[in-house]
Amino acid sequence: MASEMPRQWLLCSLLLFGGLAQAEAPRLIIQRVPLAGFTYHTGPAIWPLLHEGDTLTLIREANNPHDSLAVRVDWRDQKLGYLPRTDNGAVARALDRGTPLQARISRLREHPDPRQRIEVEVSARLRSGP
């Protein structure tokens, strides 16, 4: 954990103080998690079309019968899956408060375990000024 601290601090510093591309708004990465439910939705059919960096849409499903904190993940209006139940609480509550969050595909890889194929990154833009 101690070895991670300098890297995290550097990333936060770059985001906060503009060390990244000027055209890009500073962002705070909230989580990176594997996509759950990939094989149960359109994931396998659209796998060849997906690319790292693709924008994803987060859709709060408060009435989901399996998980009251469910957050669906869509790619171009196609249901890919969900944020894992073990990791969706903070994002679900932020969406419930109306906090604008962004999501993207942070990693794609061929893997026999479908839960290891797509990694989703959820982030928020940092406000500028007081």
Side-chain angles (χ1 to χ4, degrees):
M1 178 126 180
S3 64
E4 291 254 341
M5 187 59 100
R7 189 172 358 153
Q8 290 174 348
W9 186 87
L10 177 61
L11 177 60
C12 288
S13 297
L14 288 171
L15 290 170
L16 287 170
F17 302 112
L20 298 177
Q22 293 294 356
E24 192 174 312
R27 310 177 72 65
L28 176 65
I29 296 170
I30 296 168
Q31 66 181 204
R32 285 190 181 119
V33 293
L35 182 73
F38 174 77
T39 57
Y40 299 107
H41 306 292
T42 60
I46 61 174
W47 172 257
L49 305 174
L50 301 174
H51 297 92
E52 289 183 3
D54 282 357
T55 299
L56 301 170
T57 304
L58 300 174
I59 300 167
R60 182 70 171 91
E61 288 187 355
N63 295 324
N64 185 301
H66 306 290
D67 182 4
S68 63
L69 295 174
V71 178
R72 190 174 84 215
V73 179
D74 285 7
W75 176 84
R76 299 183 184 174
D77 297 321
Q78 303 268 344
K79 184 177 183 178
L80 276 183
Y82 289 84
L83 295 183
R85 183 184 315 227
T86 56
D87 299 304
N88 65 4
V91 172
R93 287 187 283 281
L95 291 171
D96 288 346
R97 287 190 307 269
T99 304
L101 300 176
Q102 293 76 43
R104 70 180 189 95
I105 297 173
S106 56
R107 187 173 75 175
L108 289 174
R109 68 179 179 149
E110 293 285 344
H111 196 280
D113 181 353
R115 294 170 292 185
Q116 300 298 317
R117 292 185 187 160
I118 299 177
E119 181 182 74
V120 175
E121 178 183 280
V122 179
S123 63
R125 285 200 172 102
L126 295 175
R127 293 184 197 178
S128 58

